[in-house]
Amino acid sequence: MQESNTSPARPTSPRAAIAAFVTVVLLSGLVAFAATSAAAPGIGQQTTTTTTTDTTGTTTTTGTTTTTTTGTTTTGTTTTGTTTTGTTTTGTTTTGTTTTTPSGPAGQIRLSDGSISIPVTSVTPPDRLVIDRVSFRPNPLRSRASVLTGRFRVSNQANGYRVRGALVYGIALPYGQFRPAAEVTTGTDGFASVRFVPTPNLHTGRNRTIQFFLRARKPGDPLLSGVSIRRLVQATVLVR
């Protein structure tokens, strides 16, 4: 009878069996996880560029949104829509200039004394010219060597405004006692000064008066019509 040299097999320990089982499970889980990660397209970090157009007038802003995906969990993507702000146009308001035209004849000028002056061209029929103020210097006239100056004011009949640009003419009656005087144009104040130069024919006498014929007219009007006016006035002469 031959004796065998083979040793009998030792029984497996329970602890070793548990450790082997855990190792197998872990390796299987890692393999499955690796396979899942390779198949998932969203793992990693994905950058999404979102263009946000904010139109206010002509300004455009471009923003960038980053989307991060871990495993199969996705952090939501924020999308900013397009916001358009309308253009507001403010209109231009023009304030016109209002000119107030005084009533009555055109070309009125207010003088320093408060009276109103108008051009003779503003006097038309049925309105007429009026010689409303008369004065002489010197008064009385005492010498043939002196010049008698008559100062006459012309106004319009309708308003009593002083008339500038009227022609005033004067002559002594009877003729021959003073040299003929030229027509004189009234100034802005309506006055015209006419110089009367005595001649040797000036009649002498105590407290004697000389008559003067005066006429005021608008240039271009006929002498006997239009808006012209005539008047007789007198000056005192004390020539001996």
Side-chain angles (χ1 to χ4, degrees):
M1 181 176 179
Q2 187 178 357
E3 182 176 357
S4 176
N5 294 325
T6 303
S7 300
R10 296 181 180 179
T12 303
S13 172
R15 291 184 180 180
I18 294 172
F21 177 75
V22 171
T23 301
V24 172
V25 171
L26 290 177
L27 290 176
S28 298
L30 290 176
V31 171
F33 179 76
T36 303
S37 299
I43 297 177
Q45 188 176 45
Q46 181 181 356
T47 301
T48 302
T49 301
T50 303
T51 301
T52 301
T53 304
D54 184 2
T55 306
T56 303
T58 58
T59 303
T60 303
T61 304
T62 302
T64 301
T65 303
T66 301
T67 303
T68 302
T69 304
T70 303
T72 58
T73 301
T74 302
T75 301
T77 302
T78 301
T79 303
T80 303
T82 301
T83 303
T84 304
T85 302
T87 302
T88 302
T89 303
T90 304
T92 302
T93 302
T94 303
T95 303
T97 302
T98 303
T99 303
T100 303
T101 303
S103 59
Q108 298 181 26
I109 298 175
R110 184 169 296 277
L111 305 180
S112 58
D113 61 358
S115 59
I116 296 176
S117 170
I118 61 172
V120 69
T121 54
S122 296
V123 183
T124 57
D127 196 5
R128 299 180 65 85
L129 299 176
V130 177
I131 300 174
D132 60 357
R133 183 169 295 184
V134 175
S135 63
F136 289 96
R137 293 288 184 274
N139 190 23
L141 179 64
R142 298 179 181 275
S143 172
R144 292 186 179 91
S146 300
V147 175
L148 183 66
T149 300
R151 183 171 167 81
F152 314 117
R153 190 179 75 179
V154 179
S155 301
N156 75 319
Q157 188 178 52
N159 309 98
Y161 296 157
R162 300 184 186 184
V163 178
R164 58 185 184 272
L167 295 175
V168 178
Y169 172 76
I171 189 171
L173 299 175
Y175 300 115
Q177 298 184 84
F178 290 86
R179 299 182 186 279
E183 283 186 312
V184 178
T185 303
T186 57
T188 304
D189 57 359
F191 279 95
S193 296
V194 181
R195 290 166 54 87
F196 299 100
V197 179
T199 69
N201 297 327
L202 177 63
H203 297 295
T204 61
R206 185 179 181 84
N207 294 330
R208 183 171 178 271
T209 58
I210 301 292
Q211 301 293 321
F212 288 88
F213 168 81
L214 302 178
R215 181 188 68 213
R217 68 183 182 92
K218 180 166 67 174
D221 275 5
L223 294 178
L224 299 178
S225 61
V227 297
S228 62
I229 189 67
R230 292 153 187 82
R231 180 179 175 181
L232 286 176
V233 297
Q234 64 183 24
T236 302
V237 177
L238 295 179
V239 177
R240 294 178 180 273

